Amino acid sequence: GAGVSQTPSNKVTEKGKYVELRCDPISGHTALYWYRQSLGQGPEFLIYFQGTGAADDSGLPNDRFFAVRPEGSVSTLKIQRTERGDSAVYLCASSLTIVQNTGELFFGEGSRLTVL
Amino acid sequence: GDSVTQMEGPVTLSEEAFLTINCTYTATGYPSLFWYVQYPGEGLQLLLKATKADDKGSNKGFEATYRKETTSFHLEKGSVQVSDSAVYFCALSDNQGGKLIFGQGTELSVKP
């Protein structure tokens, strides 16, 4: 498809395990964003990439969270030693360039993470 | 830091009623303002935007005007339909970095 693709759509894991969430942005989009959305809340910014580099990672809650985008396309969000408080929907979005220029992010449907 | 505050939901209206969802913001500088919508089972999508004071964004019968003096960007629609049932998010872009900051969302339910 032509949209932002996220896998898995659903992930259930146990406390303490390692998790990877993948995002495949729209082809040609240079900017890629990760957000986290808890139930009943708005999306909370985690990190964004312009190309391969993390331009702003100020939203990552702690050093258990890490994200990469090695070739400037697909990105992986990695969570180490998961905790129950990490349970949320993790949203990926892409944009032709950074959002201050375009004003529009294209979101995927999210990866729902449940930590038991 | 920059932030967005929306009226709490859920908001329940009858079809053809007038809709207002309040949004106020706190920001340094001159942000751009957005409304995003999330329909059931779908990802967030841009509804409308305004990039400077007094601009009006509009789409699908929805409107919002960027009011710098009241730091507001209220969403309005003159006559809602059942198909407008969704969660609506107000957001701002800080125009320095590249990220959007979202409000907590307002759920709208329109009854026939």
Side-chain angles (χ1 to χ4, degrees):
Chain A
V4 176
S5 175
Q6 292 189 245
T7 54
S9 56
N10 229 318
K11 175 72 177 177
V12 179
T13 191
E14 293 180 344
K15 181 174 176 298
K17 299 289 189 186
Y18 170 80
V19 164
E20 288 190 353
L21 306 175
R22 175 190 167 107
C23 173
D24 211 332
I26 293 172
S27 177
H29 280 194
T30 63
L32 184 148
Y33 300 76
W34 285 100
Y35 283 82
R36 177 168 70 174
Q37 187 174 20
S38 300
L39 193 63
Q41 300 297 313
E44 173 193 15
F45 171 76
L46 296 177
I47 183 171
Y48 90 90
F49 293 85
Q50 179 65 4
T52 60
D56 183 350
D57 64 357
S58 61
L60 295 177
N62 51 59
D63 61 8
R64 296 187 297 106
F65 289 75
F66 190 69
V68 296
R69 195 186 185 199
E71 296 177 357
S73 178
V74 170
S75 177
T76 305
L77 179 66
K78 307 180 182 200
I79 310 174
Q80 297 179 320
R81 305 183 304 279
T82 52
E83 300 177 356
R84 293 193 181 90
D86 298 335
S87 297
V89 177
Y90 288 82
L91 300 173
C92 178
S94 70
S95 181
L96 196 58
T97 179
I98 58 172
V99 73
Q100 81 180 80
N101 295 334
T102 69
E104 182 166 12
L105 297 185
F106 294 85
F107 281 85
E109 293 187 21
S111 293
R112 181 177 298 278
L113 174 66
T114 303
V115 182
L116 301 177
Chain B
D2 296 353
S3 65
V4 176
T5 302
Q6 294 180 233
M7 66 185 282
E8 290 193 14
V11 174
T12 302
L13 295 174
S14 298
E15 210 165 20
E16 299 183 4
F18 183 84
L19 168 71
T20 300
I21 300 178
N22 289 340
C23 170
T24 57
Y25 67 90
T26 301
T28 54
Y30 303 97
S32 295
L33 301 173
F34 308 85
W35 279 99
Y36 276 74
V37 59
Q38 187 170 31
Y39 297 104
E42 299 184 17
L44 278 91
Q45 55 188 274
L46 179 66
L47 179 61
L48 54 83
K49 66 181 181 183
T51 57
K52 61 183 188 297
D54 301 324
D55 269 2
K56 177 186 282 189
S58 61
N59 186 25
K60 299 182 181 180
F62 291 88
E63 295 184 334
T65 301
Y66 187 165
R67 300 283 188 205
K68 186 166 179 286
E69 62 276 12
T70 54
T71 62
S72 65
F73 193 55
H74 305 320
L75 182 68
E76 296 182 336
K77 187 175 185 181
S79 175
V80 294
Q81 306 300 312
V82 172
S83 58
D84 294 326
S85 298
V87 182
Y88 293 82
F89 295 91
C90 186
L92 67 82
S93 166
D94 63 9
N95 285 345
Q96 293 175 7
K99 62 182 182 281
L100 292 185
I101 297 167
F102 287 86
Q104 75 270 33
T106 302
E107 182 180 2
L108 171 66
S109 178
V110 181
K111 307 296 186 187

